[in-house]
Structure formats: structure tokens, C-alpha cells
Amino acid sequence: MSGRPVDPEEARQLMLRNGCRPKTAFTKAKDSWPSTCERCGADIDPTYDSIASKARRFGDAPRGCRDCADRALAEKFRLDEGELAKTIALANIKPLEPYTNNSSRMECICLNTTCPREGKPIKVLIKAVRQGAMACKYCARRAIHPDEALAIMREQGLVEPATAYLRVNDPWPGTCLRCQQRVRPRLHDVIQGQGACRHCAPNTPLTKQQAWERALAYRFRPSDPEAFKNTNTPWAGTCLNCRGPVNPSLGNLYRGQGACNSRACKVTGFKDSEPGLVYLLQRTSDPAMAKVGTCEDAARNTRLQVHVRNGWEVVYTRSFRVGLHARLVEGSVKRLWFDERGWKNGRARGERWSDGYTETVVLVDAERDEPWTVVTSLALWTDVLGEAERLGFCLDEQRLKASED
């Protein structure tokens, strides 16, 4: 307000005509002026300059505070039933609550068959739809639901996040499920196919100490720590599972190849990228024992049938979307039993390699300390479920239900 000075009484009358009742005397045009909104009774502090500018542009009106003015504007442009029905049909949504106005978000279900939300509620801004925007921000890829983001990071990035999901381009702290190192990948990079862990990346230069630690994480011990050249050069060592000689490269291990191809370690037909199965078997022979293992989760797989022919009974199975998850759960369970608890496996008892002797547990063993002297198949399977939960791997419910049916 430039030009002549503002008369305090004229200023007060203008505020009253526009729904604002001043509580103090007028000072300056650009100073906050404590008032009461005559529409909702809220305490507000607009400037005389802002109210006078609106009055000059749109005329005097009992607009009150900003919230009241916004509600009045939204009501002015509220759709009639015909226009609302046309907009809803165009947006391909199903409302779950009554329509209020164009500026209020309405809870709906997206009816697009490829919607990532899969029938779960979303919030739709009718105003944005009428301006040409897609109703569902998840279909438009403007947003990713936290549940979907978590699944992508675990399954594609092989990272267990340590914090809640924020945004697709923000670094997301977590733990690499391959090497257990702390990492901060971006979800956008994982979706685009980039590796989530710089420690595991096959082209990352490594010191000899880092290479040694990564080799141990992949369950093989190099014969000569000083012989490491790079991640694409074979490195001779010993398999920590079967104690046989191996010669893998760290790059191939990162890409999902096993460190050991011996009959005791190699699972024929098992692929890290395809659905996998963790199973628990038991045998009532003398002594009674149980074993954990993995196999391909497919109709053509005959591994469980072979075990049954050899006298084993299939007690429990659990499906995983990718075989890598099943393999990591099996390895974690074996470390729990034989390394942390110190139980003896079948190798120590001289069992045949065809029985998977590195995976078998005698159910009754007087040499084991309490409370593990006597264990049941259910107790062992509880360990499997616990390790799967600890690693954060989600069960593919659809595949499990199909297998049970």
C-alpha cells in the first residue's frame, strides 16, 4: 500500500468486511495484525496489506482466515453428481468415502489391473485428476509404497534396511545380506538394476584384507592371502563346508555362482535367481535324526523324492521367491547349529556324503549340553523360521498356498 497513509478506522472496517475482527489497534500495513476469524473463531494474524490486496482484486467478501477462504473456494468449484461420476470413471477408481470437494483427498481403490497397490486404499486429489494427472500416484510411478520399497530392496538389492523408507532418490541405510557390511543404496538405483553394495560389486578394487574377508563370507578360505590379484581372477583355497579344494573368483561368487562344485556342496538344478525351497527331513532309524536342505521349487525337481527313497520323511517345507534367499537361510541355520551351538554334524559321525552329512542333526545326543540333549523336528524347524525372519526374507504366499493345495 503505497501513497497516502492508511486511516486506522478505515483499515479496521475493511478487515471487518472481509471476516477478520482485529483485537489490537492498527500499526502498519505490513505488520501482523492479531485478529479473530469471524467464520471459524480461530486466532489469526494477517497483515492489513494482504487483506486489502485481496479486497481490491476480488472485492470485499467474508473470507476470514486462509483455511476458511480455501474451503469457500473449494466449495465454489465443487462438482455436481454428473461431473463427479464422469471424473471417477475417467480416473478408473472406486471411492471408499463421500466426495467433499476438489481440494480434499478422497480415499479410493485404484482399478488398474497393474496397480502396485493391488486393491489397497489410496488417496486421490480430484483437482489433480481434472487437470490431467493420473489418479494413482503409484501407477504413475510418482511414489512407491513403503511395503513395495522394502520388498524391492530385500529381493533385488539383497539389503536389509535399517530405517523406514523415505524417498526413491534418498540413500537408504541398511545391511548387505551378502557381506554383512553397512551400505546406503538408493532405491532408484536398485530398481534400475545397479548393485546395492559397493563392497560386493565385482568391479570394486579391494585390498588383500577386504578380499580375504569377502572370501570367508562366501564360505571359502584362500590358501594364500597374498595371491589375490583382482575380483575376476581365480583364487585357490578350501571350501569351508566340505573342506575340499576350490578355485573361484570373487566376481563369480557375487554373481551367484557357488564357491564349490563338489558333490557334497553342489545342488543340481538349483539357481539363485529362481524360486527355492528350504526343507526339513527326519528319519526314525537308530539313531533318529533330522536334516535341513534346499532345492529348486519347481514341479520338475526330484530331490525330495530321492530323499524319500533313501528313507527320509519330509516334515516341513517353506518356499522363497528366489533361491538365493533359501540358500542364505540354510547357511545361517547350519552356522547356528554347528558353529554357534557346537553340535556335531554327520561328517563327524562318518555318515555318507549322499545323506548330506554336513546338514544332519541327531535328535538325541547325550554329549550335547542342556537344553539341547533332546531336540525335536519342530524345534529345529523353529530355528529355520527364526533365521528366515531375522534375515527379513518374505514368504511367497501364493506359491506356498499352491504347493499346499
Short mmCIF file of all heavy atoms in Angstrom, two decimals, residues 1 11 65 87 90-91 121 142 172 198 225 239 248 267 271 277 280 294 314 319 328 338-339 348 371 379 402:
data_model
loop_
_atom_site.label_atom_id
_atom_site.label_comp_id
_atom_site.label_asym_id
_atom_site.label_seq_id
_atom_site.Cartn_x
_atom_site.Cartn_y
_atom_site.Cartn_z
N MET A 1 0.85 -1.18 0.00
CA MET A 1 0.00 0.00 0.00
C MET A 1 0.89 1.23 0.00
O MET A 1 1.44 1.62 1.01
CB MET A 1 -0.90 0.02 1.23
CG MET A 1 -1.93 -1.10 1.27
SD MET A 1 -3.26 -0.88 0.07
CE MET A 1 -4.06 0.58 0.73
N ALA A 11 -9.01 1.08 7.99
CA ALA A 11 -8.36 -0.23 7.97
C ALA A 11 -9.18 -1.24 8.79
O ALA A 11 -9.38 -2.39 8.38
CB ALA A 11 -6.95 -0.13 8.54
N CYS A 65 -10.11 -16.39 7.64
CA CYS A 65 -8.73 -16.87 7.61
C CYS A 65 -8.45 -17.63 6.32
O CYS A 65 -9.37 -17.91 5.54
CB CYS A 65 -8.44 -17.74 8.82
SG CYS A 65 -9.37 -19.29 8.85
N THR A 87 -15.73 -37.89 -13.86
CA THR A 87 -14.33 -37.80 -13.44
C THR A 87 -13.86 -39.11 -12.82
O THR A 87 -12.74 -39.58 -13.09
CB THR A 87 -14.16 -36.65 -12.43
OG1 THR A 87 -14.58 -35.43 -13.04
CG2 THR A 87 -12.71 -36.54 -11.97
N LEU A 90 -13.32 -41.70 -15.54
CA LEU A 90 -12.11 -41.40 -16.30
C LEU A 90 -10.86 -41.78 -15.51
O LEU A 90 -9.88 -42.25 -16.08
CB LEU A 90 -12.09 -39.90 -16.65
CG LEU A 90 -10.92 -39.41 -17.50
CD1 LEU A 90 -10.98 -40.04 -18.90
CD2 LEU A 90 -10.94 -37.89 -17.62
N ALA A 91 -10.90 -41.58 -14.19
CA ALA A 91 -9.74 -41.88 -13.35
C ALA A 91 -9.60 -43.37 -13.06
O ALA A 91 -8.56 -43.82 -12.58
CB ALA A 91 -9.86 -41.12 -12.03
N PRO A 121 -6.14 -49.26 -0.36
CA PRO A 121 -6.61 -47.87 -0.49
C PRO A 121 -5.50 -46.88 -0.87
O PRO A 121 -4.34 -47.05 -0.48
CB PRO A 121 -7.17 -47.55 0.90
CG PRO A 121 -7.49 -48.88 1.51
CD PRO A 121 -6.46 -49.82 0.96
N ARG A 142 4.99 -41.98 -9.46
CA ARG A 142 5.41 -40.80 -8.72
C ARG A 142 5.73 -41.16 -7.27
O ARG A 142 6.32 -40.36 -6.54
CB ARG A 142 4.32 -39.72 -8.74
CG ARG A 142 3.96 -39.18 -10.10
CD ARG A 142 3.11 -37.93 -10.01
NE ARG A 142 1.93 -38.08 -9.18
CZ ARG A 142 0.76 -38.52 -9.61
NH1 ARG A 142 0.61 -38.85 -10.89
NH2 ARG A 142 -0.27 -38.62 -8.79
N TRP A 172 19.41 -45.06 1.50
CA TRP A 172 18.62 -45.84 2.46
C TRP A 172 19.57 -46.73 3.24
O TRP A 172 20.01 -47.77 2.74
CB TRP A 172 17.58 -46.66 1.70
CG TRP A 172 16.47 -47.19 2.54
CD1 TRP A 172 16.30 -47.04 3.88
CD2 TRP A 172 15.35 -47.96 2.09
NE1 TRP A 172 15.15 -47.65 4.29
CE2 TRP A 172 14.55 -48.22 3.23
CE3 TRP A 172 14.95 -48.45 0.84
CZ2 TRP A 172 13.38 -48.96 3.15
CZ3 TRP A 172 13.78 -49.19 0.77
CH2 TRP A 172 13.00 -49.43 1.90
N ARG A 198 28.54 -51.55 -2.54
CA ARG A 198 29.83 -51.26 -3.20
C ARG A 198 30.92 -52.21 -2.72
O ARG A 198 31.93 -52.41 -3.40
CB ARG A 198 30.24 -49.82 -2.92
CG ARG A 198 30.47 -49.48 -1.46
CD ARG A 198 30.80 -48.01 -1.27
NE ARG A 198 30.98 -47.67 0.13
CZ ARG A 198 32.11 -47.80 0.79
NH1 ARG A 198 33.18 -48.29 0.18
NH2 ARG A 198 32.20 -47.47 2.07
N PRO A 225 46.72 -65.67 1.23
CA PRO A 225 46.11 -64.34 1.21
C PRO A 225 46.81 -63.36 0.28
O PRO A 225 46.18 -62.46 -0.29
CB PRO A 225 46.20 -63.88 2.67
CG PRO A 225 46.31 -65.14 3.46
CD PRO A 225 47.08 -66.10 2.58
N CYS A 239 37.04 -75.04 0.51
CA CYS A 239 35.63 -74.83 0.82
C CYS A 239 35.42 -75.04 2.32
O CYS A 239 35.85 -76.05 2.88
CB CYS A 239 34.77 -75.81 0.02
SG CYS A 239 33.01 -75.78 0.49
N PRO A 248 37.57 -70.41 -6.97
CA PRO A 248 36.61 -69.46 -7.53
C PRO A 248 37.20 -68.05 -7.65
O PRO A 248 38.27 -67.77 -7.10
CB PRO A 248 35.49 -69.47 -6.50
CG PRO A 248 36.24 -69.65 -5.21
CD PRO A 248 37.39 -70.57 -5.53
N VAL A 267 24.18 -78.28 -5.53
CA VAL A 267 22.79 -78.71 -5.63
C VAL A 267 22.40 -78.64 -7.10
O VAL A 267 22.27 -77.57 -7.67
CB VAL A 267 21.86 -77.81 -4.79
CG1 VAL A 267 20.42 -78.29 -4.88
CG2 VAL A 267 22.33 -77.79 -3.34
N LYS A 271 19.11 -72.70 -8.77
CA LYS A 271 19.54 -71.40 -9.28
C LYS A 271 19.14 -70.33 -8.29
O LYS A 271 18.00 -70.29 -7.82
CB LYS A 271 18.93 -71.12 -10.66
CG LYS A 271 19.39 -72.08 -11.74
CD LYS A 271 18.76 -71.72 -13.08
CE LYS A 271 19.29 -72.60 -14.20
NZ LYS A 271 18.97 -74.03 -13.99
N LEU A 277 13.39 -73.67 -2.24
CA LEU A 277 12.66 -74.31 -1.15
C LEU A 277 13.65 -74.70 -0.06
O LEU A 277 14.71 -75.25 -0.34
CB LEU A 277 11.95 -75.56 -1.68
CG LEU A 277 10.86 -76.20 -0.82
CD1 LEU A 277 9.61 -75.33 -0.84
CD2 LEU A 277 10.54 -77.58 -1.36
N LEU A 280 12.92 -79.53 5.82
CA LEU A 280 13.44 -80.27 6.97
C LEU A 280 12.95 -81.70 6.86
O LEU A 280 11.75 -81.93 6.72
CB LEU A 280 12.98 -79.65 8.29
CG LEU A 280 13.65 -80.28 9.52
CD1 LEU A 280 15.06 -79.72 9.70
CD2 LEU A 280 12.84 -80.04 10.79
N THR A 294 18.13 -77.43 0.86
CA THR A 294 17.46 -76.58 -0.13
C THR A 294 17.34 -77.33 -1.43
O THR A 294 18.11 -78.25 -1.72
CB THR A 294 18.26 -75.28 -0.39
OG1 THR A 294 19.57 -75.63 -0.87
CG2 THR A 294 18.37 -74.44 0.86
N VAL A 314 9.67 -86.16 4.64
CA VAL A 314 9.58 -84.70 4.52
C VAL A 314 8.64 -84.18 5.59
O VAL A 314 7.45 -84.51 5.60
CB VAL A 314 9.08 -84.29 3.12
CG1 VAL A 314 9.01 -82.76 3.03
CG2 VAL A 314 9.98 -84.86 2.04
N SER A 319 8.65 -72.07 0.96
CA SER A 319 9.02 -71.53 -0.35
C SER A 319 9.58 -70.13 -0.21
O SER A 319 9.14 -69.35 0.64
CB SER A 319 7.80 -71.49 -1.28
OG SER A 319 7.30 -72.77 -1.52
N LEU A 328 20.69 -68.76 1.63
CA LEU A 328 21.22 -67.98 2.74
C LEU A 328 20.59 -68.40 4.06
O LEU A 328 21.26 -68.43 5.10
CB LEU A 328 20.97 -66.49 2.50
CG LEU A 328 21.80 -65.85 1.37
CD1 LEU A 328 21.38 -64.41 1.14
CD2 LEU A 328 23.29 -65.91 1.68
N PHE A 338 25.92 -75.74 14.05
CA PHE A 338 27.23 -76.40 14.14
C PHE A 338 28.37 -75.49 14.56
O PHE A 338 29.38 -75.98 15.07
CB PHE A 338 27.55 -77.05 12.79
CG PHE A 338 26.47 -77.98 12.31
CD1 PHE A 338 25.88 -77.80 11.08
CD2 PHE A 338 26.02 -79.02 13.11
CE1 PHE A 338 24.86 -78.64 10.63
CE2 PHE A 338 25.01 -79.87 12.68
CZ PHE A 338 24.42 -79.68 11.44
N ASP A 339 28.21 -74.17 14.36
CA ASP A 339 29.26 -73.25 14.80
C ASP A 339 28.93 -72.61 16.14
O ASP A 339 29.72 -72.67 17.09
CB ASP A 339 29.50 -72.16 13.74
CG ASP A 339 30.05 -72.73 12.44
OD1 ASP A 339 30.58 -73.86 12.47
OD2 ASP A 339 29.95 -72.05 11.40
N ALA A 348 31.13 -85.60 11.20
CA ALA A 348 31.86 -86.02 12.40
C ALA A 348 31.50 -87.44 12.81
O ALA A 348 32.27 -88.12 13.50
CB ALA A 348 31.58 -85.06 13.56
N PRO A 371 19.93 -77.05 27.01
CA PRO A 371 18.71 -77.86 26.86
C PRO A 371 18.66 -78.62 25.55
O PRO A 371 17.58 -78.99 25.09
CB PRO A 371 17.62 -76.78 26.88
CG PRO A 371 18.25 -75.62 26.18
CD PRO A 371 19.72 -75.66 26.57
N ALA A 379 11.35 -78.22 16.92
CA ALA A 379 12.31 -77.26 17.47
C ALA A 379 13.32 -76.83 16.41
O ALA A 379 13.69 -75.65 16.32
CB ALA A 379 13.02 -77.86 18.68
N ALA A 402 -0.22 -72.65 -3.25
CA ALA A 402 -0.34 -73.57 -4.40
C ALA A 402 0.30 -74.91 -4.07
O ALA A 402 -0.24 -75.97 -4.41
CB ALA A 402 0.31 -72.95 -5.62
#
